[in-house]
């Protein structure tokens, strides 16, 4: 039997997490295929075909897939699943929207955000905002899951898998894409950045994100992140939220500025290699998970740090 | 239109749960419980739609043991009109919950089906999408804004890197994100009044839902703690520490 990976992309580039999902998929020791569903699939298919460990790239190409809905993708994936015992994707807003729908149509359970694949039916995943690790086993005939990308290395490129076209049923009419608004940024994407500088409620304004945090992020070529309190207060856009409800990051360096370190925030960053916390409250929770803690007023410490770099 | 809101009883989000000594499960004996935060946003949204004259009746439903009545009372006190407890001692995973909710939807025939985007205990984030699939209905997950006109709902969704807007025809399944609204506080008089609102108990067996138990939790553990860090006295010390880690800063 085979494993199918659902690839995420932006129309031009394969998401870097796909290569990580390919590594995770090797756990089943069976051929791994990658599905590209896109309006223009050729360049994307070539990128997927170059990943070491991929047997076949399935191409679902249709103009309607410029902005695919979960309903449409599920209708493409479910018939394909007859040939697969494992359907997986890297955990993201995209995959966690689509795969539960696929799993239910296949009448199997789904395992979300897998941190470790113990064996072909057994997984470790976080529950209670990552405060507990649960080992779960699924005896379903098909395994449908998402994996935490940062827990798996990216597969190397340089291979040349074959490609194959698959049928695309008409898009369901009950759901229609209307618009998308992406916060444009020259910075590296949050989920993939090597360095993340995050600001909390203490920043106090959107201006402070721009004037205090951004210069530090510039020097470090870092992505900017935020706590929920900062996002809710309108200091930062919602897609920068790190945590249980936002993005999970695992950079080489995470600098938490004026963030208290609530468990929901910690969920999103405690796998970072080195954590720095700058907070004026020596009792702040964030210091418990920081490698280096600095008790200071961020409005003094951050400009000093920026100047010293 | 009728709105059905599915809510789950979970450990209060402020509480850090502990693992039982034998590692069989988490220990939630005597721990403070409440409505899953995202589900409170779902209830709140239904109430606001009712206040706008779009929704006419709000039914809150939960699947669980008798203790779950407290969250239904909470939903009634917020402003739901009726509540339903589908009673079972069983622990269901998202697929099982979705199957039971499907049976409830078939009975109640709501036009709007609201859930939270994820339960903060299992962190699965699956039930809404699964329910939509089983009902062959459109889904709009992670909603931060919902507007309804005629039989169309326009939903702004929070996705990686920004937002997406979808238009779905009703009936549809919509899952709430935290930024959808700010749930109202429940005042004591509302709780008193909620006692008079109908709360129906339905035994799970009477719904005729076939459930499998294919997912087993083998064990739970506390994740390894991060090694204790050090406090630095100033920015210069911080920088010299960071320079000991190769390649992090220039
Ligand atoms: C279901 C649910 C999901 C959630 N999901 C998330 C999530 O994904 N991400 C998330 O972040 N939160 C999430 N939260 C919210 C979380 O519980 C906290 O409320 C939030 O993280 C607090 O943000 P904060 O640390 O910026 O603010 P606060 O807790 O207010 O902390 C501000 C910190 O700044 C410090 N400070 C103040 N002034 C200065 C100064 N001048 N210099 C230095 N330090 C200063 C203070 O000492 C304090 O520690 C969630 C909550 C719930 C209920
Ligand atoms: N036992 C339950 N009873 C009612 N609704 C539930 C139950 N479990 C989950 N839900 C709903 O499904 C959503 C997502 O749950 P989950 O898929 O477990 O993350 C929750 O926010 C609730 O709205």
């Amino acid at each position: 039997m085979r494993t199918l990976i659902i690839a995420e992309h932006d129309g031009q580039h394969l998401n870097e997490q796909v290569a990580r999902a390919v590594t995770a998929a090797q756990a089943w020791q069976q051929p791994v295929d990658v599905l590209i569903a896109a309006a223009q699939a050729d360049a994307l298919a070539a990128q997927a075909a170059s990943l070491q460990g991929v047997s076949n790239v399935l191409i679902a190409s249709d103009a309607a897939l410029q902005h695919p809905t979960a309903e449409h993708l599920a209708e493409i994936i479910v018939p394909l699943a007859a040939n697969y015992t494992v359907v997986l994707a890297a955990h993201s807003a995209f995959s966690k929207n689509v795969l539960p729908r696929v799993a239910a149509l296949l009448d199997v359970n789904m395992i979300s955000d897998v941190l470790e694949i113990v064996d072909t039916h057994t997984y470790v995943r976080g529950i209670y905002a990552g405060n507990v690790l649960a080992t779960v086993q699924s005896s379903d005939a098909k395994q449908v899951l998402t994996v935490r990308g940062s827990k798996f290395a990216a597969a190397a490129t340089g291979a040349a898998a074959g490609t194959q076209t698959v049928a695309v049923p008409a898009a369901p009419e009950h759901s229609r894409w209307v618009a998308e608004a992406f916060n444009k940024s020259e910075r590296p994407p949050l989920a993939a950045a090597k360095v993340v500088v995050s600001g909390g409620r203490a920043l106090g304004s959107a201006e402070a994100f721009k004037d205090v945090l951004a210069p530090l992020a510039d020097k470090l070529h870092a992505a900017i992140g935020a706590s929920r309190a900062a996002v809710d207060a309108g200091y930062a856009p919602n897609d920068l939220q790190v945590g249980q409800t936002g993005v999970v990051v695992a950079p080489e360096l995470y600098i938490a500025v004026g963030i208290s370190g609530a468990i929901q925030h910690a969920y999103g960053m405690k796998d970072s290699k080195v954590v720095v916390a700058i907070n004026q409250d020596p009792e702040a929770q964030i210091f418990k998970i920081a490698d280096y803690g600095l008790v200071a007023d961020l409005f003094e410490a951050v400009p000093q740090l920026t100047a010293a770099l | 239109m009728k709105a059905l809101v599915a809510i789950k009883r979970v450990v209060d989000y402020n509480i850090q749960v502990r693992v039982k000594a034998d590692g069989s499960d988490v220990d939630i004996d005597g721990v403070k419980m409440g409505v899953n935060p995202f589900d409170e946003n779902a209830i709140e949204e239904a109430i606001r739609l009712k206040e706008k004259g779009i929704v006419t009746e709000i039914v809150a439903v939960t699947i669980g043991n008798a203790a779950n009545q407290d969250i239904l009372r909470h939903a009634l006190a917020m402003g739901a009109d009726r509540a339903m407890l589908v009673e079972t001692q069983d622990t269901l995973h998202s697929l099982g919950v979705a199957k039971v909710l499907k049976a409830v939807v078939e009975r109640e025939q709501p036009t709007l089906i609201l859930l939270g985007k994820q339960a903060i205990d299992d962190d699965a984030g699956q039930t809404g999408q699964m329910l939509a699939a089983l009902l062959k209905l459109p889904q709009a997950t992670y909603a931060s804004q919902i507007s309804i006109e005629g039989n169309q709902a326009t939903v702004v969704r929070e996705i990686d890197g920004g937002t997406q807007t979808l238009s779905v025809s009703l009936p549809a399944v919509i899952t709430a994100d935290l930024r959808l609204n700010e749930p109202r506080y429940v005042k004591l008089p509302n709780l008193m009044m909620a006692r008079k609102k109908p709360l129906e108990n339905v035994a799970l067996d009477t719904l005729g839902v076939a459930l499998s138990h294919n997912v087993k939790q083998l064990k739970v553990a506390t994740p390894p703690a991060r090694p204790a860090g050090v406090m630095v006295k100033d920015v210069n010390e911080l920088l010299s520490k960071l320079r000991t880690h190769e390649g992090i800063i220039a």
Side-chain angles (χ1 to χ4, degrees), chain B:
Chain B
M1 66 177 69
K2 189 195 277 191
L4 182 83
V5 188
I7 64 176
K8 185 176 189 186
R9 187 171 189 263
V10 298
V11 171
D12 183 272
Y13 73 91
N14 281 310
I15 290 168
Q16 199 143 354
V17 294
R18 264 184 252 283
V19 167
K20 285 184 185 164
D22 66 359
S24 61
D25 206 348
V26 292
D27 188 357
I28 57 167
D29 245 16
V31 167
K32 185 177 169 207
M33 307 287 285
V35 185
N36 183 44
F38 300 98
D39 306 356
E40 246 190 321
N41 294 97
I43 303 167
E44 176 65 33
E45 196 63 15
I47 298 169
R48 292 190 188 189
L49 288 166
K50 194 179 170 195
E51 287 165 351
K52 284 191 192 139
I54 294 167
V55 162
T56 48
E57 188 189 20
I58 303 168
V59 183
V61 57
T62 189
I63 304 154
N65 61 22
N68 278 265
Q69 295 204 356
D70 63 354
I71 60 161
L72 292 174
R73 292 283 171 213
H74 180 89
L76 293 169
M78 280 179 77
D81 298 293
R82 292 196 282 122
M84 186 194 297
L85 169 62
V86 179
E87 202 171 337
T88 174
Q89 300 301 327
D90 223 359
T91 309
L92 301 180
H93 292 280
S94 302
L95 181 64
V97 173
K99 286 181 177 178
V100 176
L101 290 176
K102 174 175 185 262
V104 173
V105 167
E106 282 162 355
R107 223 182 81 155
E108 291 284 338
Q109 300 285 324
T111 305
L112 189 60
I113 303 153
L114 291 164
L115 291 87
K117 80 161 183 181
Q118 111 189 28
I120 62 163
D121 49 3
D122 62 27
D123 281 326
Q126 303 170 357
T127 307
Q129 299 89 307
M130 288 182 157
L131 176 60
L134 297 177
L135 291 165
K136 308 218 170 344
L137 290 179
Q139 69 185 51
T141 50
Y142 328 134
S144 61
Q145 206 180 302
I146 301 173
S147 41
I148 293 180
E149 228 162 289
N151 80 330
Q152 291 288 317
T154 305
V155 180
V156 179
R157 310 177 52 232
E158 299 209 351
I159 59 171
D160 294 339
T163 58
Q164 180 187 65
T165 308
L166 287 183
S167 171
V168 292
S169 55
L170 300 175
V173 176
I174 303 180
T175 73
D177 214 321
L178 293 176
R179 263 175 291 279
L180 183 56
N181 52 47
E182 183 84 43
R184 63 198 62 195
Y185 284 103
V186 167
K187 299 191 203 83
L188 197 59
N190 300 111
L191 263 176
M192 307 296 280
M193 260 149 49
R195 294 218 185 115
K196 299 202 188 82
K197 291 186 179 177
L199 194 163
E200 183 189 359
N201 261 41
V202 179
L204 176 58
D205 323 339
T206 63
L207 289 177
V209 183
L211 296 169
S212 57
H213 290 87
N214 289 352
V215 177
K216 279 196 190 66
Q217 178 172 289
L218 301 184
K219 62 171 186 196
V220 296
T222 306
R226 288 185 67 93
V230 296
M231 298 306 282
V232 295
K233 63 177 190 307
D234 57 21
V235 161
N236 288 333
E237 192 187 347
L238 175 60
L239 271 176
S240 66
K241 293 283 189 199
L242 287 179
R243 292 208 166 95
T244 64
H245 297 271
E246 210 169 322
I248 283 193
I249 54 170

Side-chain angles (χ1 to χ4, degrees), chain A residues 53-70:
Chain A
V54 173
S55 299
N56 246 312
V57 178
L58 308 188
I59 301 178
S61 175
D62 190 288
L65 293 171
Q66 183 74 34
H67 299 292
T69 59

Side-chain angles (χ1 to χ4, degrees), chain A residues 2-8 17-36 54 77 81 84-92 94-96 98-100 102-103 106 108-114 116-117 119-120 123 142-149 152:
Chain A
R2 310 176 74 87
T3 295
L4 180 64
I5 292 175
I6 313 304
E8 180 172 359
Q17 304 272 327
V18 177
R20 297 172 182 274
V22 169
T23 300
Q26 306 306 321
W28 283 270
Q29 302 188 329
Q30 57 188 16
V32 175
D33 296 348
V34 176
L35 172 69
I36 304 284
V54 173
I77 297 165
Y84 294 89
T85 49
V86 183
V87 179
L88 74 82
H91 193 69
S92 71
F94 165 79
S95 62
K96 69 190 189 190
V98 176
L99 282 203
V102 170
L106 295 172
V108 298
N109 292 277
M110 177 181 157
I111 315 289
S112 293
D113 206 7
V114 166
E116 186 192 333
I117 300 167
D119 63 40
T120 55
Y123 314 93
K142 289 183 199 297
Q143 306 282 303
V144 178
L145 64 147
T146 57
V147 297
R148 171 92 51 98
F152 300 88

Side-chain angles (χ1 to χ4, degrees), chain A residues 118-280:
Chain A
V118 179
D119 63 40
T120 55
H121 291 75
T122 313
Y123 314 93
V124 178
R125 59 181 302 272
I127 56 175
Y128 292 92
N131 277 302
V132 177
L133 296 178
T135 304
V136 294
Q137 192 166 64
S138 163
S139 56
D140 279 322
K142 289 183 199 297
Q143 306 282 303
V144 178
L145 64 147
T146 57
V147 297
R148 171 92 51 98
S150 60
K151 293 288 185 182
F152 300 88
T157 54
T163 59
Q164 181 184 325
T165 326
V166 299
V168 181
E173 282 172 8
H174 55 28
S175 175
R176 202 165 46 80
W177 180 92
V178 177
E180 244 156 32
F182 289 109
N183 297 306
K184 278 198 244 25
S185 161
E186 302 296 306
R187 299 182 188 285
L190 188 55
K194 288 218 157 47
V195 181
V196 175
V197 177
S198 279
R201 192 200 307 273
L203 269 291
S205 66
E207 289 69 43
F209 263 80
K210 199 158 93 262
D211 299 339
V212 180
L213 221 51
L216 177 60
D218 288 343
K219 280 257 173 97
L220 293 166
H221 305 290
I224 289 186
S227 71
R228 177 181 167 207
V231 171
D232 282 359
Y235 308 159
N238 65 276
D239 59 295
L240 297 192
Q241 182 173 315
V242 171
Q244 187 183 20
T245 336
V247 186
V248 174
V249 300
E252 299 286 313
L253 174 62
Y254 187 88
I255 306 185
V257 177
I259 292 178
S260 60
I263 53 173
Q264 296 87 5
H265 186 81
Y267 178 88
M269 45 68 72
K270 66 181 173 202
D271 281 337
S272 306
K273 201 164 220 171
V274 176
V275 174
V276 171
I278 301 175
N279 195 305
Q280 68 182 14

